Amino acid sequence: MNAVYVRVSTDEQAKTGYSLQDQLQSCRQRLLSLGLPNISEYVDDGYSGEFLERPALERLRDDLRAGTIENVCVYDPDRLSRNLTNQLILADEIEKAGAKLLFVTGDYDASPEGRLFFSMRGAISAFEKAKIRERTMRGKRAKVLSGKPLFAAPPFGYSCDRVAGQYVIVPEEAEIIRDIFARYSGKKYGILPLGADLRACGIVNIRTGKPFSASVLHRMITNEMYAGTKWTFQIYQKLIAQKKRKIIHRDKSEWVAITIPAIIDRETWEKTCEVREQNKVMAKRNSKREYLLSGVIKCAGCGYAMRGITYPKRTKKEYGYYVCTAYINENICNCKTGIPVQELDEAVWNHILQTYSASYIAANKRRKTIDKPRHDTEAQLANLKARKATILKWVSAGTVDMDEAEKELKNLNTSINAVMESLESKPKIIDISPKEIASAKTMDEKRRVLLKLKIKVYAKKEGGKISYTIRDS
Protein backbone atom coordinates (compact mmCIF):
# COMPACT_ATOMS: atom_id res chain seq x y z
CA MET A 1 0.00 0.00 0.00
CA ASN A 2 1.18 3.56 -0.74
CA ALA A 3 0.40 6.38 1.69
CA VAL A 4 -0.27 10.07 1.15
CA TYR A 5 0.09 12.32 4.20
CA VAL A 6 -1.26 15.89 4.13
CA ARG A 7 -1.66 18.49 6.87
CA VAL A 8 -2.84 22.05 7.47
CA SER A 9 -2.13 23.82 10.75
CA THR A 10 -5.30 25.87 11.38
CA ASP A 11 -8.97 25.03 11.68
CA GLU A 12 -9.82 27.81 9.21
CA GLN A 13 -7.60 26.28 6.53
CA ALA A 14 -9.20 22.90 7.19
CA LYS A 15 -12.76 24.29 6.88
CA THR A 16 -12.09 26.16 3.66
CA GLY A 17 -10.03 23.31 2.21
CA TYR A 18 -7.13 25.68 1.63
CA SER A 19 -4.11 23.65 0.43
CA LEU A 20 -5.55 20.27 1.51
CA GLN A 21 -6.97 19.32 -1.89
CA ASP A 22 -3.89 20.78 -3.57
CA GLN A 23 -1.63 18.61 -1.45
CA LEU A 24 -3.72 15.47 -2.02
CA GLN A 25 -3.89 15.97 -5.77
CA SER A 26 -0.16 16.69 -6.10
CA CYS A 27 0.81 13.70 -3.95
CA ARG A 28 -1.49 11.35 -5.90
CA GLN A 29 -0.06 12.54 -9.20
CA ARG A 30 3.47 12.01 -7.86
CA LEU A 31 2.72 8.39 -6.86
CA LEU A 32 0.81 7.60 -10.08
CA SER A 33 3.65 9.01 -12.19
CA LEU A 34 5.94 6.47 -10.53
CA GLY A 35 3.48 3.65 -11.27
CA LEU A 36 2.37 3.36 -7.64
CA PRO A 37 -1.45 2.90 -7.34
CA ASN A 38 -3.34 1.51 -4.33
CA ILE A 39 -3.16 4.84 -2.48
CA SER A 40 -4.37 5.44 1.09
CA GLU A 41 -4.86 8.98 2.39
CA TYR A 42 -3.91 10.26 5.86
CA VAL A 43 -5.29 13.77 6.45
CA ASP A 44 -4.67 15.93 9.54
CA ASP A 45 -6.93 18.96 9.21
CA GLY A 46 -6.23 21.76 11.66
CA TYR A 47 -3.27 20.23 13.53
CA SER A 48 0.01 21.96 14.26
CA GLY A 49 3.18 20.35 12.94
CA GLU A 50 5.00 21.32 16.13
CA PHE A 51 3.87 18.12 17.86
CA LEU A 52 3.78 14.48 16.80
CA GLU A 53 0.40 13.84 18.45
CA ARG A 54 -1.81 14.01 15.35
CA PRO A 55 -4.61 11.47 14.66
CA ALA A 56 -3.79 10.73 11.00
CA LEU A 57 -0.04 10.73 11.64
CA GLU A 58 -0.44 8.26 14.49
CA ARG A 59 -2.47 5.94 12.22
CA LEU A 60 0.25 6.25 9.56
CA ARG A 61 2.96 5.37 12.09
CA ASP A 62 0.94 2.37 13.31
CA ASP A 63 0.56 1.12 9.71
CA LEU A 64 4.29 1.62 9.13
CA ARG A 65 5.08 -0.52 12.17
CA ALA A 66 2.66 -3.15 10.89
CA GLY A 67 4.62 -3.25 7.63
CA THR A 68 1.65 -2.51 5.36
CA ILE A 69 3.09 0.60 3.71
CA GLU A 70 5.74 0.66 0.99
CA ASN A 71 5.90 4.38 0.10
CA VAL A 72 4.98 7.57 1.95
CA CYS A 73 4.41 10.68 -0.16
CA VAL A 74 4.29 14.16 1.42
CA TYR A 75 3.97 17.46 -0.41
CA ASP A 76 6.89 19.15 1.41
CA PRO A 77 9.06 18.34 4.47
CA ASP A 78 7.32 21.06 6.53
CA ARG A 79 4.01 19.17 6.11
CA LEU A 80 5.60 16.40 8.18
CA SER A 81 6.70 18.98 10.72
CA ARG A 82 8.32 22.38 10.97
CA ASN A 83 10.32 21.01 13.88
CA LEU A 84 13.64 19.60 12.64
CA THR A 85 13.88 16.98 15.39
CA ASN A 86 10.40 15.66 14.59
CA GLN A 87 11.21 15.57 10.88
CA LEU A 88 14.28 13.41 11.53
CA ILE A 89 12.33 11.10 13.89
CA LEU A 90 9.63 10.48 11.26
CA ALA A 91 12.12 10.02 8.43
CA ASP A 92 14.01 7.48 10.55
CA GLU A 93 10.79 5.56 11.38
CA ILE A 94 9.87 5.38 7.68
CA GLU A 95 13.32 4.08 6.75
CA LYS A 96 13.33 1.46 9.54
CA ALA A 97 9.90 0.24 8.39
CA GLY A 98 11.41 -0.48 4.96
CA ALA A 99 9.31 2.19 3.27
CA LYS A 100 10.47 4.98 1.00
CA LEU A 101 9.86 8.68 1.72
CA LEU A 102 8.85 10.81 -1.28
CA PHE A 103 8.24 14.56 -1.62
CA VAL A 104 6.41 16.45 -4.36
CA THR A 105 8.71 19.48 -4.07
CA GLY A 106 11.94 17.49 -4.29
CA ASP A 107 13.63 14.14 -3.90
CA TYR A 108 14.67 12.64 -0.58
CA ASP A 109 18.05 10.93 -0.55
CA ALA A 110 18.83 8.65 2.41
CA SER A 111 22.58 9.14 1.91
CA PRO A 112 24.55 11.23 4.45
CA GLU A 113 24.58 14.14 1.99
CA GLY A 114 20.86 13.77 1.39
CA ARG A 115 20.10 13.71 5.13
CA LEU A 116 22.27 16.81 5.57
CA PHE A 117 20.24 18.64 2.90
CA PHE A 118 17.01 17.39 4.50
CA SER A 119 18.19 18.74 7.87
CA MET A 120 19.07 22.09 6.33
CA ARG A 121 15.59 22.37 4.81
CA GLY A 122 14.06 21.55 8.20
CA ALA A 123 16.14 24.22 9.91
CA ILE A 124 15.13 26.77 7.27
CA SER A 125 11.46 25.83 7.73
CA ALA A 126 11.72 26.33 11.50
CA PHE A 127 13.46 29.68 10.90
CA GLU A 128 10.70 30.78 8.52
CA LYS A 129 8.02 29.93 11.08
CA ALA A 130 9.85 31.93 13.76
CA LYS A 131 10.21 34.91 11.40
CA ILE A 132 6.50 34.80 10.50
CA ARG A 133 5.61 34.84 14.19
CA GLU A 134 8.06 37.68 14.88
CA ARG A 135 6.77 39.82 11.98
CA THR A 136 3.16 39.22 13.03
CA MET A 137 3.85 40.26 16.63
CA ARG A 138 5.88 43.25 15.49
CA GLY A 139 3.03 44.41 13.27
CA LYS A 140 0.50 44.04 16.08
CA ARG A 141 2.71 45.92 18.54
CA ALA A 142 3.35 48.74 16.05
CA LYS A 143 -0.41 49.07 15.50
CA VAL A 144 -1.11 49.22 19.24
CA LEU A 145 1.70 51.70 19.88
CA SER A 146 0.15 53.97 17.25
CA GLY A 147 -3.02 54.07 19.36
CA LYS A 148 -5.16 51.65 17.35
CA PRO A 149 -6.69 48.61 19.10
CA LEU A 150 -6.43 45.01 17.97
CA PHE A 151 -10.07 44.24 17.22
CA ALA A 152 -11.71 41.10 18.49
CA ALA A 153 -15.43 40.68 19.11
CA PRO A 154 -16.48 44.07 20.56
CA PRO A 155 -17.78 43.88 24.14
CA PHE A 156 -21.33 44.83 25.01
CA GLY A 157 -21.66 48.59 24.62
CA TYR A 158 -19.31 48.95 21.66
CA SER A 159 -19.10 48.26 17.94
CA CYS A 160 -16.00 48.38 15.72
CA ASP A 161 -15.20 51.00 13.11
CA ARG A 162 -12.47 49.09 11.28
CA VAL A 163 -11.91 51.89 8.75
CA ALA A 164 -11.13 54.46 11.44
CA GLY A 165 -9.51 51.81 13.64
CA GLN A 166 -11.52 52.63 16.75
CA TYR A 167 -14.32 51.39 19.01
CA VAL A 168 -17.67 53.17 18.71
CA ILE A 169 -20.19 53.46 21.54
CA VAL A 170 -23.61 51.85 20.91
CA PRO A 171 -26.00 54.29 22.69
CA GLU A 172 -28.75 51.84 23.75
CA GLU A 173 -26.21 49.32 25.04
CA ALA A 174 -24.21 52.08 26.76
CA GLU A 175 -27.28 53.08 28.79
CA ILE A 176 -27.54 49.54 30.15
CA ILE A 177 -23.82 49.55 30.99
CA ARG A 178 -24.17 52.80 32.95
CA ASP A 179 -27.17 51.37 34.78
CA ILE A 180 -25.25 48.21 35.72
CA PHE A 181 -22.26 50.17 37.06
CA ALA A 182 -24.54 52.56 38.95
CA ARG A 183 -26.41 49.71 40.64
CA TYR A 184 -23.23 47.80 41.50
CA SER A 185 -21.28 50.77 42.88
CA GLY A 186 -24.24 52.60 44.42
CA LYS A 187 -26.02 49.72 46.15
CA LYS A 188 -22.78 47.76 46.77
CA TYR A 189 -24.27 44.63 45.26
CA GLY A 190 -22.57 41.31 44.79
CA ILE A 191 -22.74 39.75 41.33
CA LEU A 192 -25.66 37.43 42.08
CA PRO A 193 -27.87 40.11 43.73
CA LEU A 194 -27.02 42.44 40.85
CA GLY A 195 -28.20 39.84 38.33
CA ALA A 196 -31.39 39.26 40.31
CA ASP A 197 -32.09 43.00 40.47
CA LEU A 198 -31.61 43.37 36.70
CA ARG A 199 -33.96 40.47 36.00
CA ALA A 200 -36.57 41.91 38.35
CA CYS A 201 -36.42 45.21 36.45
CA GLY A 202 -36.68 43.45 33.10
CA ILE A 203 -33.19 44.54 31.98
CA VAL A 204 -31.74 41.97 29.60
CA ASN A 205 -28.90 41.62 27.12
CA ILE A 206 -30.45 43.22 24.03
CA ARG A 207 -28.02 41.33 21.79
CA THR A 208 -29.38 37.95 22.87
CA GLY A 209 -32.70 38.84 24.49
CA LYS A 210 -31.66 36.86 27.57
CA PRO A 211 -30.79 37.98 31.14
CA PHE A 212 -27.13 38.76 31.89
CA SER A 213 -25.34 35.75 33.38
CA ALA A 214 -23.09 36.11 36.44
CA SER A 215 -19.96 35.51 34.35
CA VAL A 216 -20.93 38.23 31.83
CA LEU A 217 -21.66 40.73 34.62
CA HIS A 218 -18.31 39.94 36.26
CA ARG A 219 -16.46 40.56 32.98
CA MET A 220 -18.30 43.87 32.61
CA ILE A 221 -17.48 45.32 36.02
CA THR A 222 -13.83 44.27 35.73
CA ASN A 223 -13.34 45.68 32.20
CA GLU A 224 -11.58 49.04 32.29
CA MET A 225 -12.52 49.60 28.65
CA TYR A 226 -15.78 51.10 29.87
CA ALA A 227 -13.77 53.80 31.67
CA GLY A 228 -11.86 54.65 28.49
CA THR A 229 -8.68 52.54 28.84
CA LYS A 230 -8.10 49.30 26.95
CA TRP A 231 -5.05 47.31 28.05
CA THR A 232 -3.33 45.16 25.44
CA PHE A 233 -0.48 42.62 25.59
CA GLN A 234 -1.54 41.56 29.10
CA ILE A 235 -1.40 37.86 28.22
CA TYR A 236 -0.21 35.55 25.49
CA GLN A 237 -1.05 31.98 24.63
CA LYS A 238 1.57 29.28 24.31
CA LEU A 239 0.84 26.07 22.42
CA ILE A 240 1.82 23.24 24.78
CA ALA A 241 0.11 20.32 22.99
CA GLN A 242 -2.31 19.71 20.13
CA LYS A 243 -5.45 21.78 20.69
CA LYS A 244 -4.14 22.83 24.11
CA ARG A 245 -2.84 26.29 24.96
CA LYS A 246 -1.58 27.79 28.18
CA ILE A 247 -2.40 31.40 29.05
CA ILE A 248 0.68 33.22 30.35
CA HIS A 249 0.41 36.64 32.01
CA ARG A 250 2.94 39.24 30.91
CA ASP A 251 4.70 41.56 33.33
CA LYS A 252 2.79 44.81 33.80
CA SER A 253 5.70 46.76 32.28
CA GLU A 254 4.85 45.12 28.92
CA TRP A 255 1.20 46.22 28.95
CA VAL A 256 0.16 48.96 26.54
CA ALA A 257 -2.80 51.25 27.23
CA ILE A 258 -5.02 52.52 24.40
CA THR A 259 -7.48 55.35 24.91
CA ILE A 260 -11.01 54.59 23.63
CA PRO A 261 -14.37 56.36 24.05
CA ALA A 262 -15.51 55.99 27.67
CA ILE A 263 -19.02 54.92 28.65
CA ILE A 264 -18.61 55.60 32.38
CA ASP A 265 -16.52 58.27 34.13
CA ARG A 266 -13.33 57.54 36.03
CA GLU A 267 -14.94 58.24 39.41
CA THR A 268 -17.58 55.53 38.80
CA TRP A 269 -14.85 53.07 37.78
CA GLU A 270 -12.80 53.75 40.93
CA LYS A 271 -15.92 53.36 43.07
CA THR A 272 -16.66 50.05 41.32
CA CYS A 273 -13.12 48.80 42.02
CA GLU A 274 -13.53 49.76 45.68
CA VAL A 275 -16.86 47.92 45.98
CA ARG A 276 -15.38 44.89 44.22
CA GLU A 277 -12.55 44.74 46.75
CA GLN A 278 -15.03 45.14 49.60
CA ASN A 279 -17.17 42.28 48.28
CA LYS A 280 -14.08 40.13 47.84
CA VAL A 281 -13.01 40.61 51.44
CA MET A 282 -16.49 40.34 52.95
CA ALA A 283 -17.73 37.41 50.85
CA LYS A 284 -18.61 34.35 52.93
CA ARG A 285 -19.43 32.13 49.94
CA ASN A 286 -19.91 28.53 51.05
CA SER A 287 -17.43 28.60 53.93
CA LYS A 288 -18.71 26.90 57.10
CA ARG A 289 -16.29 28.95 59.16
CA GLU A 290 -15.33 32.62 59.01
CA TYR A 291 -11.69 33.62 58.78
CA LEU A 292 -10.63 37.10 59.84
CA LEU A 293 -7.92 37.43 57.18
CA SER A 294 -9.84 35.85 54.29
CA GLY A 295 -9.21 37.91 51.15
CA VAL A 296 -6.46 39.85 52.94
CA ILE A 297 -3.73 37.28 53.59
CA LYS A 298 -1.05 36.30 51.07
CA CYS A 299 1.84 33.85 51.18
CA ALA A 300 5.11 35.58 52.08
CA GLY A 301 6.99 32.95 50.09
CA CYS A 302 5.37 33.19 46.65
CA GLY A 303 2.81 36.02 46.86
CA TYR A 304 -0.24 33.85 46.14
CA ALA A 305 -3.36 34.27 48.24
CA MET A 306 -3.84 32.00 51.24
CA ARG A 307 -7.15 30.37 52.09
CA GLY A 308 -8.65 29.19 55.34
CA ILE A 309 -9.19 25.45 55.78
CA THR A 310 -10.67 23.67 58.78
CA TYR A 311 -9.62 20.13 59.73
CA PRO A 312 -11.75 18.04 62.12
CA LYS A 313 -9.87 16.11 64.81
CA ARG A 314 -10.73 12.92 66.69
CA THR A 315 -11.48 15.03 69.74
CA LYS A 316 -14.40 16.54 67.76
CA LYS A 317 -12.60 19.88 67.83
CA GLU A 318 -11.89 21.76 64.64
CA TYR A 319 -8.55 23.35 63.81
CA GLY A 320 -8.29 26.10 61.20
CA TYR A 321 -5.21 26.83 59.09
CA TYR A 322 -4.25 29.33 56.41
CA VAL A 323 -2.65 27.49 53.47
CA CYS A 324 -1.02 28.80 50.26
CA THR A 325 -3.05 28.41 47.04
CA ALA A 326 -0.06 28.18 44.70
CA TYR A 327 -0.90 24.54 43.99
CA ILE A 328 -4.31 25.55 42.59
CA ASN A 329 -2.51 27.66 39.99
CA GLU A 330 -0.08 24.82 39.19
CA ASN A 331 2.83 26.63 40.82
CA ILE A 332 5.34 25.46 43.40
CA CYS A 333 5.74 27.18 46.78
CA ASN A 334 8.27 26.22 49.42
CA CYS A 335 6.00 27.44 52.23
CA LYS A 336 3.97 24.24 52.60
CA THR A 337 3.22 24.49 56.32
CA GLY A 338 -0.25 25.69 57.28
CA ILE A 339 -0.51 28.63 59.68
CA PRO A 340 -2.93 28.23 62.63
CA VAL A 341 -5.84 30.60 62.10
CA GLN A 342 -6.47 31.53 65.72
CA GLU A 343 -2.83 32.29 66.47
CA LEU A 344 -2.29 34.49 63.41
CA ASP A 345 -5.68 36.26 63.67
CA GLU A 346 -4.96 37.27 67.27
CA ALA A 347 -1.43 38.45 66.45
CA VAL A 348 -2.55 40.58 63.50
CA TRP A 349 -5.50 42.11 65.33
CA ASN A 350 -3.35 43.01 68.36
CA HIS A 351 -0.83 44.59 65.97
CA ILE A 352 -3.60 46.71 64.43
CA LEU A 353 -4.85 47.83 67.86
CA GLN A 354 -1.34 48.88 68.92
CA THR A 355 -0.17 50.66 65.78
CA TYR A 356 -3.03 52.13 63.78
CA SER A 357 -4.08 54.81 66.24
CA ALA A 358 -0.79 56.62 65.66
CA SER A 359 -0.85 55.98 61.93
CA TYR A 360 -4.37 57.38 61.74
CA ILE A 361 -3.19 60.75 63.07
CA ALA A 362 -0.15 60.75 60.79
CA ALA A 363 -2.19 59.82 57.72
CA ASN A 364 -4.70 62.60 58.31
CA LYS A 365 -1.90 65.11 58.67
CA ARG A 366 -0.60 63.98 55.31
CA ARG A 367 -3.94 64.88 53.74
CA LYS A 368 -2.91 68.53 53.74
CA THR A 369 0.51 67.85 52.25
CA ILE A 370 0.82 68.25 48.50
CA ASP A 371 4.08 66.84 47.17
CA LYS A 372 3.83 68.27 43.68
CA PRO A 373 1.37 70.67 42.07
CA ARG A 374 -1.07 68.77 39.88
CA HIS A 375 -0.75 71.23 37.01
CA ASP A 376 2.97 70.40 36.65
CA THR A 377 2.13 66.73 36.16
CA GLU A 378 -0.63 67.55 33.70
CA ALA A 379 1.81 69.71 31.71
CA GLN A 380 4.27 66.82 31.64
CA LEU A 381 1.52 64.50 30.33
CA ALA A 382 0.54 66.99 27.61
CA ASN A 383 4.18 67.27 26.53
CA LEU A 384 4.57 63.49 26.28
CA LYS A 385 1.37 63.16 24.23
CA ALA A 386 2.53 65.93 21.90
CA ARG A 387 5.83 64.11 21.30
CA LYS A 388 3.91 60.90 20.58
CA ALA A 389 1.65 62.68 18.06
CA THR A 390 4.71 64.14 16.30
CA ILE A 391 6.38 60.74 15.94
CA LEU A 392 3.15 59.22 14.59
CA LYS A 393 3.03 61.97 11.94
CA TRP A 394 6.63 61.15 10.96
CA VAL A 395 5.70 57.45 10.70
CA SER A 396 2.72 58.26 8.46
CA ALA A 397 4.93 60.46 6.27
CA GLY A 398 7.64 57.80 6.08
CA THR A 399 10.33 60.22 7.31
CA VAL A 400 11.47 58.12 10.26
CA ASP A 401 12.83 54.56 10.55
CA MET A 402 10.12 52.17 11.77
CA ASP A 403 12.42 50.38 14.23
CA GLU A 404 13.51 53.64 15.85
CA ALA A 405 9.93 54.95 15.89
CA GLU A 406 8.60 51.76 17.50
CA LYS A 407 11.29 51.92 20.20
CA GLU A 408 10.58 55.59 20.94
CA LEU A 409 6.78 55.03 20.96
CA LYS A 410 7.17 52.17 23.42
CA ASN A 411 9.22 54.39 25.76
CA LEU A 412 6.72 57.23 25.43
CA ASN A 413 3.76 54.94 26.19
CA THR A 414 5.53 53.66 29.30
CA SER A 415 6.11 57.25 30.45
CA ILE A 416 2.53 58.30 29.64
CA ASN A 417 1.11 55.34 31.58
CA ALA A 418 3.31 56.17 34.58
CA VAL A 419 2.25 59.84 34.60
CA MET A 420 -1.45 58.89 34.21
CA GLU A 421 -1.14 56.51 37.18
CA SER A 422 0.43 59.28 39.27
CA LEU A 423 -2.46 61.60 38.40
CA GLU A 424 -5.06 58.98 39.24
CA SER A 425 -3.40 57.73 42.41
CA LYS A 426 -4.53 59.25 45.67
CA PRO A 427 -2.62 59.46 48.94
CA LYS A 428 -3.80 56.78 51.35
CA ILE A 429 -6.31 58.19 53.79
CA ILE A 430 -7.36 55.99 56.68
CA ASP A 431 -11.06 56.73 56.84
CA ILE A 432 -11.56 55.24 60.27
CA SER A 433 -11.15 56.48 63.83
CA PRO A 434 -9.10 54.82 66.60
CA LYS A 435 -12.35 54.46 68.55
CA GLU A 436 -13.94 52.40 65.75
CA ILE A 437 -10.91 50.10 65.69
CA ALA A 438 -10.95 49.61 69.45
CA SER A 439 -14.73 48.98 69.59
CA ALA A 440 -14.70 46.25 66.91
CA LYS A 441 -15.62 42.98 68.64
CA THR A 442 -17.49 40.75 66.21
CA MET A 443 -15.97 39.07 63.16
CA ASP A 444 -17.90 41.34 60.75
CA GLU A 445 -16.83 44.48 62.62
CA LYS A 446 -13.17 43.46 62.59
CA ARG A 447 -13.28 42.57 58.91
CA ARG A 448 -14.82 45.96 58.08
CA VAL A 449 -11.90 47.57 59.92
CA LEU A 450 -9.45 45.56 57.80
CA LEU A 451 -11.34 46.66 54.70
CA LYS A 452 -11.12 50.35 55.58
CA LEU A 453 -7.42 50.08 56.45
CA LYS A 454 -6.76 48.67 52.95
CA ILE A 455 -3.95 46.36 53.99
CA LYS A 456 -2.52 43.00 52.97
CA VAL A 457 -0.96 40.52 55.38
CA TYR A 458 2.01 38.47 54.12
CA ALA A 459 2.63 35.46 56.35
CA LYS A 460 4.56 32.18 56.53
CA LYS A 461 5.58 29.56 59.04
CA GLU A 462 9.16 28.27 59.12
CA GLY A 463 10.81 26.15 61.78
CA GLY A 464 7.64 26.25 63.84
CA LYS A 465 7.71 30.06 63.98
CA ILE A 466 5.06 32.32 62.42
CA SER A 467 6.20 35.56 60.79
CA TYR A 468 4.11 38.19 59.04
CA THR A 469 4.29 41.71 57.62
CA ILE A 470 1.47 44.18 57.00
CA ARG A 471 1.57 46.28 53.82
CA ASP A 472 -0.72 48.76 52.12
CA SER A 473 -2.79 47.07 49.39
Side-chain angles (χ1 to χ4, degrees), residues 154-158 172-174 176-177 180 204-207 212 216 220 226 263:
F156 189 83
Y158 291 99
E172 57 270 26
E173 294 181 2
I176 295 176
I177 291 293
I180 289 172
V204 297
N205 186 333
I206 58 177
R207 291 187 181 181
F212 290 100
V216 170
M220 282 182 177
Y226 294 121
I263 292 178

